Amino acid sequence: TVFQRGVLAVALARSNDDRGGHSWGICGVVDGRPDVHRGLGDLAPNVSVIGPYLDMYAHARWATTGAKTVANAHPFTVGRIIGAHNGMVYNHEALQLAYGRTFSVDSQHLVAHLDAGLSLDDVEGYGALEWHDSANPGRLYLSRLQGGELAVYGLGTPQACRGIVWSSDEAHLLEALEAAGCHDAFEYGLDVGDVYFAEAGRLYIDKSRRLDLSERHESVVDWRSMGIDADETIDALEAADRDLPLDAYEQMMRYDERDTDRKRWKRDH
């Protein structure tokens, strides 16, 4: 229903603002024509912007590379692609030199690669991508990249799907579905590197291409395999927070405790 759609939008916006908060952006599609809205601050107070759109995606940014400006808010437009990225590109400066680019935000390289039809095998990083391609205006594309998170659920049943909803945080998505009373949702299993697209309320796989990032940079450190005690390492990092700028400290301390047997610290540098 229209009410459930509104609850989903508000709930997801609020939860994603917890991980963003510096800027927001929305790409909405009407009759194949994309509209882009961007601004500073939280997404939730601006969620009414999605009103006219049955097909749309949104992004909440926590700035890492690039200033906190509207121009640096996702989604980015490069050629025929309007794309947003949740994650990081580590070799930002190397890609600037290799392609003669002057991007302010590392994620813009991914959008530029998509527009140029390039492989991502020279991009070092992690995350998830969502984008609109004017070559196929009725579709919204998705891909879970190496090291990234992306949960996609259908509303209804696989045989009678009423719509698609997704988030880079599955827990937030499940909470939003519960709040909206969407109890008949089902999960789509996504393989890393595969390209999917939502069209007319259903999810499809684009078998013509894959998005595989470079394996030269490992974004996850397994401290145990290095003979280092993870808890002692984290304690040392926490003790060092007085010597680090707040933003840098928060970026470093994204500690993944979901795997209690093999604790991992996700580095954002």
Side-chain angles (χ1 to χ4, degrees), residues 12-25:
L12 282 172
R14 286 178 176 173
S15 59
N16 280 283
D17 280 338
D18 290 341
R19 302 189 304 155
H22 289 159
S23 62
W24 60 272

mmCIF file with all atom_site columns, all heavy atoms in Angstrom, residues 12-25:
data_model
loop_
_atom_site.group_PDB
_atom_site.id
_atom_site.type_symbol
_atom_site.label_atom_id
_atom_site.label_alt_id
_atom_site.label_comp_id
_atom_site.label_asym_id
_atom_site.label_entity_id
_atom_site.label_seq_id
_atom_site.pdbx_PDB_ins_code
_atom_site.Cartn_x
_atom_site.Cartn_y
_atom_site.Cartn_z
_atom_site.occupancy
_atom_site.B_iso_or_equiv
_atom_site.pdbx_formal_charge
_atom_site.auth_seq_id
_atom_site.auth_comp_id
_atom_site.auth_asym_id
_atom_site.auth_atom_id
_atom_site.pdbx_PDB_model_num
ATOM 1   N N   . LEU A 1 12 ? 13.860 3.145  6.647  1.00 0.00 ? 12 LEU A N   1
ATOM 2   C CA  . LEU A 1 12 ? 15.175 2.934  6.048  1.00 0.00 ? 12 LEU A CA  1
ATOM 3   C C   . LEU A 1 12 ? 16.009 4.212  6.064  1.00 0.00 ? 12 LEU A C   1
ATOM 4   O O   . LEU A 1 12 ? 17.221 4.175  6.297  1.00 0.00 ? 12 LEU A O   1
ATOM 5   C CB  . LEU A 1 12 ? 15.022 2.421  4.613  1.00 0.00 ? 12 LEU A CB  1
ATOM 6   C CG  . LEU A 1 12 ? 14.665 0.950  4.479  1.00 0.00 ? 12 LEU A CG  1
ATOM 7   C CD1 . LEU A 1 12 ? 14.342 0.604  3.024  1.00 0.00 ? 12 LEU A CD1 1
ATOM 8   C CD2 . LEU A 1 12 ? 15.799 0.057  4.978  1.00 0.00 ? 12 LEU A CD2 1
ATOM 9   N N   . ALA A 1 13 ? 15.364 5.347  5.824  1.00 0.00 ? 13 ALA A N   1
ATOM 10  C CA  . ALA A 1 13 ? 16.092 6.619  5.849  1.00 0.00 ? 13 ALA A CA  1
ATOM 11  C C   . ALA A 1 13 ? 16.665 6.887  7.234  1.00 0.00 ? 13 ALA A C   1
ATOM 12  O O   . ALA A 1 13 ? 17.834 7.264  7.385  1.00 0.00 ? 13 ALA A O   1
ATOM 13  C CB  . ALA A 1 13 ? 15.177 7.760  5.424  1.00 0.00 ? 13 ALA A CB  1
ATOM 14  N N   . ARG A 1 14 ? 15.871 6.669  8.262  1.00 0.00 ? 14 ARG A N   1
ATOM 15  C CA  . ARG A 1 14 ? 16.340 6.933  9.625  1.00 0.00 ? 14 ARG A CA  1
ATOM 16  C C   . ARG A 1 14 ? 17.495 6.006  10.000 1.00 0.00 ? 14 ARG A C   1
ATOM 17  O O   . ARG A 1 14 ? 18.483 6.440  10.607 1.00 0.00 ? 14 ARG A O   1
ATOM 18  C CB  . ARG A 1 14 ? 15.184 6.766  10.607 1.00 0.00 ? 14 ARG A CB  1
ATOM 19  C CG  . ARG A 1 14 ? 14.171 7.903  10.558 1.00 0.00 ? 14 ARG A CG  1
ATOM 20  C CD  . ARG A 1 14 ? 13.020 7.660  11.503 1.00 0.00 ? 14 ARG A CD  1
ATOM 21  N NE  . ARG A 1 14 ? 12.104 8.803  11.525 1.00 0.00 ? 14 ARG A NE  1
ATOM 22  C CZ  . ARG A 1 14 ? 10.941 8.811  12.169 1.00 0.00 ? 14 ARG A CZ  1
ATOM 23  N NH1 . ARG A 1 14 ? 10.555 7.730  12.838 1.00 0.00 ? 14 ARG A NH1 1
ATOM 24  N NH2 . ARG A 1 14 ? 10.170 9.872  12.134 1.00 0.00 ? 14 ARG A NH2 1
ATOM 25  N N   . SER A 1 15 ? 17.374 4.724  9.676  1.00 0.00 ? 15 SER A N   1
ATOM 26  C CA  . SER A 1 15 ? 18.425 3.785  10.048 1.00 0.00 ? 15 SER A CA  1
ATOM 27  C C   . SER A 1 15 ? 19.707 4.041  9.270  1.00 0.00 ? 15 SER A C   1
ATOM 28  O O   . SER A 1 15 ? 20.814 3.935  9.819  1.00 0.00 ? 15 SER A O   1
ATOM 29  C CB  . SER A 1 15 ? 17.952 2.342  9.843  1.00 0.00 ? 15 SER A CB  1
ATOM 30  O OG  . SER A 1 15 ? 17.589 2.105  8.499  1.00 0.00 ? 15 SER A OG  1
ATOM 31  N N   . ASN A 1 16 ? 19.593 4.403  8.002  1.00 0.00 ? 16 ASN A N   1
ATOM 32  C CA  . ASN A 1 16 ? 20.793 4.680  7.214  1.00 0.00 ? 16 ASN A CA  1
ATOM 33  C C   . ASN A 1 16 ? 21.449 5.996  7.601  1.00 0.00 ? 16 ASN A C   1
ATOM 34  O O   . ASN A 1 16 ? 22.659 6.162  7.422  1.00 0.00 ? 16 ASN A O   1
ATOM 35  C CB  . ASN A 1 16 ? 20.467 4.651  5.722  1.00 0.00 ? 16 ASN A CB  1
ATOM 36  C CG  . ASN A 1 16 ? 20.407 3.236  5.183  1.00 0.00 ? 16 ASN A CG  1
ATOM 37  O OD1 . ASN A 1 16 ? 21.431 2.592  4.958  1.00 0.00 ? 16 ASN A OD1 1
ATOM 38  N ND2 . ASN A 1 16 ? 19.198 2.722  4.992  1.00 0.00 ? 16 ASN A ND2 1
ATOM 39  N N   . ASP A 1 17 ? 20.668 6.927  8.136  1.00 0.00 ? 17 ASP A N   1
ATOM 40  C CA  . ASP A 1 17 ? 21.265 8.161  8.644  1.00 0.00 ? 17 ASP A CA  1
ATOM 41  C C   . ASP A 1 17 ? 22.212 7.888  9.800  1.00 0.00 ? 17 ASP A C   1
ATOM 42  O O   . ASP A 1 17 ? 23.142 8.667  10.049 1.00 0.00 ? 17 ASP A O   1
ATOM 43  C CB  . ASP A 1 17 ? 20.177 9.140  9.094  1.00 0.00 ? 17 ASP A CB  1
ATOM 44  C CG  . ASP A 1 17 ? 19.556 9.899  7.931  1.00 0.00 ? 17 ASP A CG  1
ATOM 45  O OD1 . ASP A 1 17 ? 20.215 10.002 6.873  1.00 0.00 ? 17 ASP A OD1 1
ATOM 46  O OD2 . ASP A 1 17 ? 18.419 10.397 8.082  1.00 0.00 ? 17 ASP A OD2 1
ATOM 47  N N   . ASP A 1 18 ? 22.005 6.779  10.512 1.00 0.00 ? 18 ASP A N   1
ATOM 48  C CA  . ASP A 1 18 ? 22.915 6.426  11.601 1.00 0.00 ? 18 ASP A CA  1
ATOM 49  C C   . ASP A 1 18 ? 24.318 6.154  11.078 1.00 0.00 ? 18 ASP A C   1
ATOM 50  O O   . ASP A 1 18 ? 25.300 6.292  11.807 1.00 0.00 ? 18 ASP A O   1
ATOM 51  C CB  . ASP A 1 18 ? 22.405 5.182  12.339 1.00 0.00 ? 18 ASP A CB  1
ATOM 52  C CG  . ASP A 1 18 ? 21.154 5.471  13.150 1.00 0.00 ? 18 ASP A CG  1
ATOM 53  O OD1 . ASP A 1 18 ? 20.898 6.657  13.436 1.00 0.00 ? 18 ASP A OD1 1
ATOM 54  O OD2 . ASP A 1 18 ? 20.428 4.518  13.489 1.00 0.00 ? 18 ASP A OD2 1
ATOM 55  N N   . ARG A 1 19 ? 24.413 5.734  9.811  1.00 0.00 ? 19 ARG A N   1
ATOM 56  C CA  . ARG A 1 19 ? 25.727 5.442  9.227  1.00 0.00 ? 19 ARG A CA  1
ATOM 57  C C   . ARG A 1 19 ? 26.163 6.543  8.271  1.00 0.00 ? 19 ARG A C   1
ATOM 58  O O   . ARG A 1 19 ? 27.273 6.509  7.755  1.00 0.00 ? 19 ARG A O   1
ATOM 59  C CB  . ARG A 1 19 ? 25.681 4.101  8.494  1.00 0.00 ? 19 ARG A CB  1
ATOM 60  C CG  . ARG A 1 19 ? 25.261 2.949  9.396  1.00 0.00 ? 19 ARG A CG  1
ATOM 61  C CD  . ARG A 1 19 ? 25.446 1.623  8.706  1.00 0.00 ? 19 ARG A CD  1
ATOM 62  N NE  . ARG A 1 19 ? 24.744 1.558  7.444  1.00 0.00 ? 19 ARG A NE  1
ATOM 63  C CZ  . ARG A 1 19 ? 25.083 0.763  6.433  1.00 0.00 ? 19 ARG A CZ  1
ATOM 64  N NH1 . ARG A 1 19 ? 26.144 -0.012 6.541  1.00 0.00 ? 19 ARG A NH1 1
ATOM 65  N NH2 . ARG A 1 19 ? 24.384 0.745  5.327  1.00 0.00 ? 19 ARG A NH2 1
ATOM 66  N N   . GLY A 1 20 ? 25.271 7.474  7.988  1.00 0.00 ? 20 GLY A N   1
ATOM 67  C CA  . GLY A 1 20 ? 25.593 8.585  7.108  1.00 0.00 ? 20 GLY A CA  1
ATOM 68  C C   . GLY A 1 20 ? 25.535 9.884  7.884  1.00 0.00 ? 20 GLY A C   1
ATOM 69  O O   . GLY A 1 20 ? 26.220 10.053 8.879  1.00 0.00 ? 20 GLY A O   1
ATOM 70  N N   . GLY A 1 21 ? 24.701 10.810 7.417  1.00 0.00 ? 21 GLY A N   1
ATOM 71  C CA  . GLY A 1 21 ? 24.476 12.037 8.157  1.00 0.00 ? 21 GLY A CA  1
ATOM 72  C C   . GLY A 1 21 ? 25.168 13.268 7.625  1.00 0.00 ? 21 GLY A C   1
ATOM 73  O O   . GLY A 1 21 ? 24.816 14.388 7.985  1.00 0.00 ? 21 GLY A O   1
ATOM 74  N N   . HIS A 1 22 ? 26.159 13.078 6.748  1.00 0.00 ? 22 HIS A N   1
ATOM 75  C CA  . HIS A 1 22 ? 26.843 14.242 6.182  1.00 0.00 ? 22 HIS A CA  1
ATOM 76  C C   . HIS A 1 22 ? 26.116 14.795 4.959  1.00 0.00 ? 22 HIS A C   1
ATOM 77  O O   . HIS A 1 22 ? 26.086 16.009 4.752  1.00 0.00 ? 22 HIS A O   1
ATOM 78  C CB  . HIS A 1 22 ? 28.283 13.880 5.809  1.00 0.00 ? 22 HIS A CB  1
ATOM 79  C CG  . HIS A 1 22 ? 29.166 13.677 6.990  1.00 0.00 ? 22 HIS A CG  1
ATOM 80  N ND1 . HIS A 1 22 ? 30.347 12.960 6.939  1.00 0.00 ? 22 HIS A ND1 1
ATOM 81  C CD2 . HIS A 1 22 ? 29.057 14.100 8.284  1.00 0.00 ? 22 HIS A CD2 1
ATOM 82  C CE1 . HIS A 1 22 ? 30.912 12.959 8.133  1.00 0.00 ? 22 HIS A CE1 1
ATOM 83  N NE2 . HIS A 1 22 ? 30.152 13.630 8.951  1.00 0.00 ? 22 HIS A NE2 1
ATOM 84  N N   . SER A 1 23 ? 25.567 13.894 4.144  1.00 0.00 ? 23 SER A N   1
ATOM 85  C CA  . SER A 1 23 ? 24.788 14.327 2.975  1.00 0.00 ? 23 SER A CA  1
ATOM 86  C C   . SER A 1 23 ? 23.901 13.188 2.527  1.00 0.00 ? 23 SER A C   1
ATOM 87  O O   . SER A 1 23 ? 24.037 12.046 2.976  1.00 0.00 ? 23 SER A O   1
ATOM 88  C CB  . SER A 1 23 ? 25.701 14.791 1.835  1.00 0.00 ? 23 SER A CB  1
ATOM 89  O OG  . SER A 1 23 ? 26.542 13.736 1.387  1.00 0.00 ? 23 SER A OG  1
ATOM 90  N N   . TRP A 1 24 ? 22.982 13.492 1.629  1.00 0.00 ? 24 TRP A N   1
ATOM 91  C CA  . TRP A 1 24 ? 22.034 12.492 1.145  1.00 0.00 ? 24 TRP A CA  1
ATOM 92  C C   . TRP A 1 24 ? 21.771 12.717 -0.338 1.00 0.00 ? 24 TRP A C   1
ATOM 93  O O   . TRP A 1 24 ? 22.039 13.797 -0.885 1.00 0.00 ? 24 TRP A O   1
ATOM 94  C CB  . TRP A 1 24 ? 20.709 12.572 1.917  1.00 0.00 ? 24 TRP A CB  1
ATOM 95  C CG  . TRP A 1 24 ? 20.032 13.914 1.803  1.00 0.00 ? 24 TRP A CG  1
ATOM 96  C CD1 . TRP A 1 24 ? 20.232 15.008 2.605  1.00 0.00 ? 24 TRP A CD1 1
ATOM 97  C CD2 . TRP A 1 24 ? 19.086 14.330 0.805  1.00 0.00 ? 24 TRP A CD2 1
ATOM 98  N NE1 . TRP A 1 24 ? 19.477 16.066 2.175  1.00 0.00 ? 24 TRP A NE1 1
ATOM 99  C CE2 . TRP A 1 24 ? 18.759 15.678 1.071  1.00 0.00 ? 24 TRP A CE2 1
ATOM 100 C CE3 . TRP A 1 24 ? 18.489 13.693 -0.276 1.00 0.00 ? 24 TRP A CE3 1
ATOM 101 C CZ2 . TRP A 1 24 ? 17.852 16.388 0.290  1.00 0.00 ? 24 TRP A CZ2 1
ATOM 102 C CZ3 . TRP A 1 24 ? 17.580 14.407 -1.064 1.00 0.00 ? 24 TRP A CZ3 1
ATOM 103 C CH2 . TRP A 1 24 ? 17.278 15.745 -0.767 1.00 0.00 ? 24 TRP A CH2 1
ATOM 104 N N   . GLY A 1 25 ? 21.253 11.677 -0.981 1.00 0.00 ? 25 GLY A N   1
ATOM 105 C CA  . GLY A 1 25 ? 20.897 11.795 -2.389 1.00 0.00 ? 25 GLY A CA  1
ATOM 106 C C   . GLY A 1 25 ? 19.851 10.770 -2.770 1.00 0.00 ? 25 GLY A C   1
ATOM 107 O O   . GLY A 1 25 ? 19.761 9.693  -2.185 1.00 0.00 ? 25 GLY A O   1
#
